[in-house]
Amino acid sequence: MHKFETFLLYLVASLLCGCTFIETKVEMTKGRFKIPEIENFNGVGKFVPEQTLLKGFSFSVAKAKDREIPMKVSNKEKVFSDSIILPNSKVDFAYEHKARDFAVTADFLFKDEIVLSGLSFGFNSSPFAFIRGVVGINLTHFESGLFGYFALGQWQSSYTGYQYTESFYDMGDRVPASKETHEENYSGKIVTTAAAGTYASVYAGPAALSGSISMFSPWGGTEDRMDLTFEFPYLFKAYLGTSLWIGDHIKISAGITDYLNAEKRNLSFGGSAGLWL
């Protein structure tokens, strides 16, 4: 049979059978989603003279008390078909991060008159590569500003629940909706995350007290993979710590991080050491 005749038979069969449209929804009952650590930015921690370019290279480590961050997540009631209504139901949901994490960062900051701005590049053990932009003010005993954060890396997920499926045909037929247990373990997808935050510190001489708050949506960019009945929650992260300059070129710091909107405390203890030129 010629290729052209085969193609005509295939085309006629497709027209007679019609096309199939499948609608699915997933009602998750339990989910665990691995996320990266968002590196804290807490300012310079001292007064910087005007027209100064700072170049810093730092290494930081963090130890978490609990690697799970439980979040308040619920499926929303939704009419799926004439015979099935997806209920309101609580999800056993948690983000996960490494119990121990490290990061290497290169910072390039410039102080004009009172405005301090710059970029940072680095990677951590998630593994993640990231870039961070900063703009703020640096005064005699106080500094404050904003930062934005963009990262690229590889995440993993595992979840269980129920998948609802309904099929439609363009000739008018319909397969009744069905419900079945659904489970997925997934790894390997390259995804991005973005964060925004604010920082402030007060200092006297070489010592400073610093804090920052950041917000990010760690799994917002992957919802296209799952037709879920909820949205992945944002995380709000707070840091409070101290820093000390040893001379003009070495800075050490230590502090505590917590996720403000988690269902329970998730403290991380960390420190860093940097060389500034």
Side-chain angles (χ1 to χ4, degrees):
M1 183 180 293
H2 296 295
K3 291 183 178 180
F4 181 70
E5 294 173 338
T6 303
F7 171 75
L8 286 178
L9 287 174
Y10 174 79
L11 181 61
V12 171
S14 298
L15 291 174
L16 290 175
C17 295
C19 297
T20 304
F21 304 92
I22 300 176
E23 182 181 357
T24 61
K25 278 289 182 184
V26 174
E27 178 193 351
M28 187 183 297
T29 56
K30 180 179 180 179
R32 295 294 182 270
F33 298 86
K34 292 188 177 179
I35 63 171
E37 285 287 347
I38 299 296
E39 305 307 317
N40 296 308
F41 182 79
N42 313 301
V44 179
K46 68 174 183 179
F47 173 72
V48 179
E50 296 180 8
Q51 304 300 313
T52 298
L53 175 63
L54 292 173
K55 295 175 288 184
F57 303 90
S58 60
F59 177 82
S60 62
V61 294
K63 172 67 170 65
K65 184 179 179 181
D66 189 344
R67 63 190 298 266
E68 285 197 351
I69 309 170
M71 305 293 295
K72 185 177 181 180
V73 173
S74 297
N75 294 298
K76 298 178 181 178
E77 182 176 310
K78 181 178 178 63
V79 177
F80 182 71
S81 69
D82 295 339
S83 58
I84 295 179
I85 298 178
L86 278 65
N88 288 320
S89 58
K90 181 175 173 59
V91 184
D92 178 7
F93 183 100
Y95 289 126
E96 292 183 343
H97 58 83
K98 287 193 171 184
R100 293 177 176 84
D101 186 62
F102 71 84
V104 177
T105 308
D107 298 288
F108 302 89
L109 303 171
F110 180 72
K111 168 80 176 290
D112 189 4
E113 294 181 355
I114 64 170
V115 176
L116 181 78
S117 60
L119 292 173
S120 303
F121 307 89
F123 67 89
N124 59 24
S125 59
S126 294
F128 252 72
F130 62 87
I131 181 172
R132 179 175 60 212
V134 179
V135 61
I137 58 172
N138 180 267
L139 306 175
T140 306
H141 296 290
F142 173 78
E143 64 182 340
S144 180
L146 304 172
F147 62 87
Y149 181 104
F150 178 82
L152 180 70
Q154 190 177 69
W155 293 341
Q156 297 176 320
S157 69
S158 63
Y159 65 92
T160 58
Y162 301 102
Q163 180 171 289
Y164 300 83
T165 305
E166 190 170 23
S167 301
F168 302 87
Y169 299 93
D170 60 1
M171 298 182 69
D173 297 326
R174 183 179 71 174
V175 176
S178 63
K179 173 184 176 182
E180 61 182 12
T181 302
H182 183 71
E183 179 177 350
E184 180 171 344
N185 293 283
Y186 187 82
S187 64
K189 186 173 183 179
I190 301 298
V191 290
T192 60
T193 189
T198 182
Y199 70 92
S201 63
V202 292
Y203 37 81
L209 176 65
S210 304
S212 66
I213 296 177
S214 57
M215 176 188 74
F216 68 110
S217 177
W219 268 79
T222 60
E223 293 183 43
D224 58 330
R225 294 197 59 255
M226 313 166 220
D227 198 3
L228 302 174
T229 56
F230 68 87
E231 296 182 359
F232 283 95
Y234 283 85
L235 277 171
F236 293 87
K237 178 180 178 180
Y239 169 86
L240 181 64
T242 60
S243 64
L244 179 68
W245 281 88
I246 303 174
D248 293 328
H249 302 294
I250 296 176
K251 178 187 177 184
I252 59 174
S253 61
I256 300 175
T257 298
D258 191 17
Y259 293 95
L260 300 177
N261 61 327
E263 285 202 297
K264 68 176 184 179
R265 292 288 182 189
N266 186 280
L267 298 176
S268 294
F269 306 88
S272 67
L275 176 64
W276 291 80
L277 305 174

